[in-house]
Amino acid sequence: MSTYLSHLECSKTGDIYPANQIHNLSKNGMPLLARYDLKKIKSELNKDSWCLESAPGFWRYQALLPVANSASRISLGEVITPLIPLNKTVQMLGGKLGNIIIKDEGRLPTGSFKARGLALAVSMAHQFGLEHLAIPTNGNAGAALAAYARQANIKATVFCPEDTPKVNIREIQLQGADTYLVNGLINDCGKIVLEGKEKVGWFDVSTLKEPYRIEGKKTMGLELAEQMQWTLPDAIFYPTGGGTGLIGMWKAFSELKELGWLKGKLPKMIAIQSSGCAPIVDAFKKGLNHANAWDNANTVASGIRVPVAIGDFLILDAIRQSNGFAFAVEDEHIIEIRDMISKEDGLLLCPEGAATAAGYQVALKKGIISKDEKVVLFNCASGLKYPMPKSDKKIDKDSAIKFTKFTK
Ligand SMILES: *Cc1c(COP(=O)(O)O)cnc(C)c1O
C-alpha cells in the first residue's frame, strides 16, 4: 500500500508543507489541504478500475486518500451509504418524483458521517504514532473519535456543550473516551482543547485544524459520483456547521474533474443553516469572505450549532464557485418536515437532515432551484440519536379490548 499524497497546502496562501510530518494549521493559522499527485494517478489508474474493491466502504477510494500504511487503516466496518428517493413526501415538498434523493449517512459506524472524517484523522494519527487526541464536539464527532480511537488504541479526550443530546454524551463515554461537559458552546470547548495542547500534549483534532478529517468527508463526494455513474446531481443540499463536508465534497469534485473522470457540470452547493445559528448565511448575504461570530447560537439541529467556523472562507468560496446559495430555515419547520417524512416515507431523518428537506421547500419557493432539477439532500446522522415525540397509547390486557378502534 502506498499513497499518492504529495504535500499539504495552506488554503489561504498556497504555501507548501511536507506530507510526512504532523500538522495542525498552517503558519498563518489557516487550514491545510492535502494534495495528491493527480498526474501520476491519471497515468497509473483509470475511472473504471481505480477503486479498491476489497476495502470496506469509502476505503475503496484509497488512491485519493492519505493513508500510506495499511496497518494504520482503522476500520469499524464502513458501508457505502444508500441513495433513497423520497416518494410520498416529494409532492408535499413541492418537488417531482425521482428528483429528490436522500443520501443516508446515518448507516455509518457510530450513526453519523463524522465516522468518515474521524476514521481518516485517527488512521493518520496512528500512522504518525500520536498517543492522545482531543476534540470539541456537538456530539457526533466525539462519538466517532471515541470509537475509532479505541479501535486504534489511542487515548481520546472529548469536550461537549452541557446541553449536547444525552445519547451523544453517553455513547462517547461508553466508547471509552474521557468525556467532559462544558458550560458553553462548541467554540468554548475548542478553546479548552487549544489551551491543553501545550499543557497536556494532546493532539487537536478539531474540524479543519488537522488536515485529514476533510479527506474523510471528501469521500461523500467520491461516493456520490460513483453511485451516480460519474454524473453529479444539479444541486446538493448540505446542513452546514463547520462546513467540512461541503468543502470536502467540492474538493473531491475538483480532483475528479482534474482526473477527467466526471461527466457534465458540477452541482450547485447549497448550505443550509438554522435561523438560530446562521453565520455563513449572514456572510453569504452580505458578500463577505469571512463570517462574523453568531451570538446566542441556539437550534434543535445540534450538529449545525457552530457559531464560528475556521473554514468559513472555504465554505463561502465553494458556494459561490458552484453558483450555489446559503440560507436558513426555522427550527419549527425542521421538526415539522422531520415528522412528515418519518410518518409518510418511513425515513427517520436527523434534524440536520430534515433541515435540508425544509431548505429544499424554501429553495423552490424562492426560485433558487426548479423542480426539474435533481437534488441530493444529506441526512448526516441517524434520527434515533435525537429527541422524538412521545408515544403513550395504552392497552389494558385485563379489560375488554374494543377492536373496532384499530380499523379507524
Ligand atoms: C457535524 C454535523 C453536521 C455539520 O457538518 P459539517 O461538515 O461540520 O458542516 C451536520 N449534521 C450532523 C448530524 C452533524 O453531526
Side-chain angles (χ1 to χ4, degrees):
M1 191 161 152
S2 64
T3 175
Y4 290 95
L5 180 69
S6 59
H7 61 277
L8 303 173
E9 199 180 284
C10 173
S11 55
K12 197 80 179 186
T13 63
D15 288 346
I16 287 176
Y17 292 73
N20 59 358
Q21 286 175 12
I22 300 164
H23 297 284
N24 282 114
L25 295 170
S26 73
K27 276 193 222 89
N28 48 342
M30 292 295 156
L32 289 172
L33 299 175
R35 296 297 180 205
Y36 299 82
D37 190 343
L38 296 176
K39 281 208 187 79
K40 190 159 175 226
I41 296 181
K42 205 169 171 171
S43 73
E44 292 181 2
L45 304 171
N46 66 61
K47 192 184 82 190
D48 302 315
S49 67
W50 72 286
C51 296
L52 189 66
E53 297 296 338
S54 61
F58 54 75
W59 292 108
R60 65 193 274 100
Y61 307 114
Q62 186 199 289
L64 285 172
L65 292 174
V67 184
N69 172 359
S70 60
S72 287
R73 188 167 75 199
I74 309 301
S75 172
L76 283 166
E78 298 71 27
V79 294
I80 299 293
T81 63
L83 295 177
I84 306 169
L86 278 188
N87 290 323
K88 272 176 83 183
T89 47
V90 155
Q91 268 103 9
M92 300 177 193
L93 291 171
K96 228 185 211 172
L97 206 61
N99 279 356
I100 310 182
I101 295 163
I102 307 268
K103 186 152 172 71
D104 191 4
E105 296 281 297
R107 322 286 176 108
L108 285 161
T110 71
S112 90
F113 69 176
K114 291 295 195 300
R116 295 182 188 265
L118 273 310
L120 263 294
V122 171
S123 293
M124 291 304 282
H126 186 271
Q127 194 169 292
F128 284 120
L130 295 172
E131 289 171 353
H132 189 178
L133 308 177
I135 198 169
T137 178
N138 280 324
N140 291 324
L145 173 66
Y148 281 93
R150 273 340 298 137
Q151 189 69 205
N153 207 20
I154 297 175
K155 182 175 161 64
T157 304
V158 175
F159 299 91
C160 44
E162 60 191 352
D163 58 350
T164 298
K166 271 207 180 61
V167 177
N168 283 133
I169 298 166
R170 291 177 185 181
E171 64 175 326
I172 297 168
Q173 175 79 33
L174 193 56
Q175 288 169 153
D178 196 14
T179 312
Y180 297 91
L181 305 183
V182 177
N183 56 338
L185 296 177
I186 188 168
N187 49 318
D188 300 302
C189 299
K191 282 180 201 147
I192 297 171
V193 170
L194 185 65
E195 213 181 313
K197 249 178 90 166
E198 301 287 309
K199 295 183 174 132
V200 189
W202 58 41
F203 182 76
D204 183 350
V205 288
S206 302
T207 300
L208 291 169
K209 288 188 183 169
E210 64 77 55
Y212 306 110
R213 280 177 67 178
I214 181 172
E215 293 306 290
K217 284 277 197 87
K218 177 180 91 176
T219 63
M220 288 191 284
L222 302 175
E223 201 173 291
L224 185 62
E226 188 185 16
Q227 282 176 306
M228 300 185 78
Q229 284 82 46
W230 312 104
T231 308
L232 294 166
D234 296 301
I236 288 176
F237 283 68
Y238 188 80
T240 306
T244 343
L246 192 145
I247 305 165
M249 279 193 274
W250 193 243
K251 183 175 187 285
F253 300 154
S254 94
E255 288 169 359
L256 289 175
K257 196 95 199 168
E258 208 169 318
L259 288 164
W261 294 347
L262 271 185
K263 287 178 267 182
K265 58 183 181 48
L266 299 182
K268 290 181 263 194
M269 302 300 286
I270 302 187
I272 304 296
Q273 296 197 301
S274 160
S275 52
C277 182
I280 300 298
V281 173
D282 181 62
F284 178 77
K285 273 193 197 144
K286 292 178 176 155
L288 303 174
N289 294 325
H290 286 278
N292 296 314
W294 191 269
D295 290 332
N296 304 317
N298 181 29
T299 168
V300 289
S302 44
I304 52 175
R305 193 176 64 167
V306 179
V308 183
I310 187 161
D312 53 2
F313 65 105
L314 298 171
I315 305 173
L316 290 158
D317 279 353
I319 297 170
R320 288 175 180 137
Q321 282 169 20
S322 73
N323 292 315
F325 224 85
F327 58 90
V329 291
E330 304 288 331
D331 272 15
E332 297 75 52
H333 193 190
I334 293 175
I335 293 304
E336 179 201 318
I337 295 290
R338 191 247 345 231
D339 295 357
M340 178 180 88
I341 294 177
S342 197
K343 286 203 175 103
E344 300 296 334
D345 275 317
L347 206 53
L348 177 53
L349 305 180
C350 62
E352 297 82 354
T356 64
Y360 176 81
Q361 203 174 34
V362 176
L364 274 185
K365 280 195 194 126
K366 288 189 187 214
I368 292 168
I369 55 159
S370 89
K371 59 166 136 185
D372 293 321
E373 290 180 289
K374 195 167 191 131
V375 306
V376 171
L377 314 179
F378 272 84
N379 183 53
C380 306
S382 164
L384 293 172
K385 292 201 192 201
Y386 299 78
M388 286 175 247
K390 66 177 177 199
S391 171
D392 53 9
K393 286 195 279 187
K394 291 193 175 120
I395 292 285
D396 177 4
K397 68 175 172 42
D398 300 320
S399 61
I401 296 170
K402 285 199 200 81
F403 282 91
T404 50
K405 74 173 169 193
F406 300 116
T407 58
K408 267 187 242 151

